[in-house]
Amino acid sequence: MQELCYSALDVAVIISSMQLGCRDESRILDLIWEGEKPFLAIPYRTNQRKFILDTYHWIQYFYYKPVIDREFPAIQKDLAHSNRALQAEQLTSNFLDLDLFFKSIRIRILYGDGNDYVRIKLRTLLKQYGYKRRSQLLLQHINRCMLFYHLEATLRGGVPCSIEDADLDQMLTFRVI
């Protein structure tokens, strides 16, 4: 279950996508550290300073990411002259994966803009992360994430549903339980 815990990179991706000011970023980082300790990666559970510094490191990276991405060809060319290489994924990846969706909705619901839910069509969710079908392994992983992050999915009117039985075009509402 350690792979489902929040890393500083995960929190930075989520916070930078919220487009907050410095004070709000700082406030949310403090709230996450206080309220989400069981969900934090082990090195951060007892060291708030490390958590905040590492997260701000990644937030700054995302702030300057467009500039770094534009400069990537020049960096690669310079490194080639010294017989070194740099993998494109190290600087240009978007760090998106399905786990991050569930981490993000938990943080947004608990510490974000005041909504106590997140809505998305199941088809949109799957498509957003590159899936075309609901395989048994994918469903198990989604259910594992929902259980770990204490999330429930409901249909319109608050009718509980399972991901296995939900129609692809139904709007799902996720809430923290």
Side-chain angles (χ1 to χ4, degrees), residues 7-156:
S7 68
L9 175 59
D10 295 332
V11 175
V13 167
I14 295 164
I15 288 178
S16 42
S17 73
M18 296 168 90
Q19 299 178 343
L20 304 169
C22 293
R23 288 183 182 167
D24 288 332
E25 281 179 358
S26 180
R27 180 183 59 79
I28 287 179
L29 278 175
D30 287 340
L31 290 171
I32 290 170
W33 194 81
E34 285 295 325
E36 300 292 298
K37 281 184 191 171
F39 298 98
L40 292 176
I42 290 173
Y44 302 121
R45 290 181 188 170
T46 59
N47 192 339
Q48 183 179 16
R49 184 176 193 276
K50 179 173 179 46
F51 170 68
I52 289 173
L53 289 175
D54 288 356
T55 303
Y56 273 126
H57 165 81
W58 285 112
I59 288 173
Q60 288 301 309
Y61 167 78
F62 289 117
Y63 178 72
Y64 291 110
K65 187 176 183 324
V67 174
I68 294 169
D69 288 350
R70 279 194 309 271
E71 294 293 322
F72 183 71
I75 293 169
Q76 220 171 13
K77 191 175 181 180
D78 289 344
L79 288 173
H81 290 294
S82 61
N83 292 328
R84 296 181 186 189
L86 186 61
Q87 299 296 326
E89 301 84 45
Q90 289 176 297
L91 293 178
T92 60
S93 84
N94 289 322
F95 304 102
L96 294 177
D97 61 77
L98 192 56
D99 298 351
L100 189 58
F101 171 77
F102 293 103
K103 293 172 186 179
S104 176
I105 63 173
R106 179 176 171 84
I107 288 175
R108 286 176 184 274
I109 290 170
L110 293 175
Y111 309 105
D113 56 12
N115 285 335
D116 65 343
Y117 64 90
V118 170
R119 279 195 180 141
I120 190 168
K121 282 186 179 180
L122 183 55
R123 182 181 307 276
T124 304
L125 172 63
L126 296 176
K127 185 178 177 183
Q128 189 173 355
Y129 293 97
Y131 298 101
K132 295 182 181 183
R133 290 185 209 105
R134 291 181 280 189
S135 70
Q136 194 60 35
L137 283 174
L138 177 61
L139 292 172
Q140 287 173 356
H141 183 71
I142 289 172
N143 285 324
R144 187 171 149 221
C145 287
M146 289 177 58
L147 182 65
F148 185 81
Y149 299 116
H150 306 283
L151 299 170
E152 72 172 351
T154 60
L155 302 173
R156 276 200 197 273

Side-chain angles (χ1 to χ4, degrees), residues 151-168:
L151 299 170
E152 72 172 351
T154 60
L155 302 173
R156 276 200 197 273
V159 177
C161 75
S162 68
I163 300 296
E164 293 88 349
D165 301 329
D167 186 75
L168 284 176

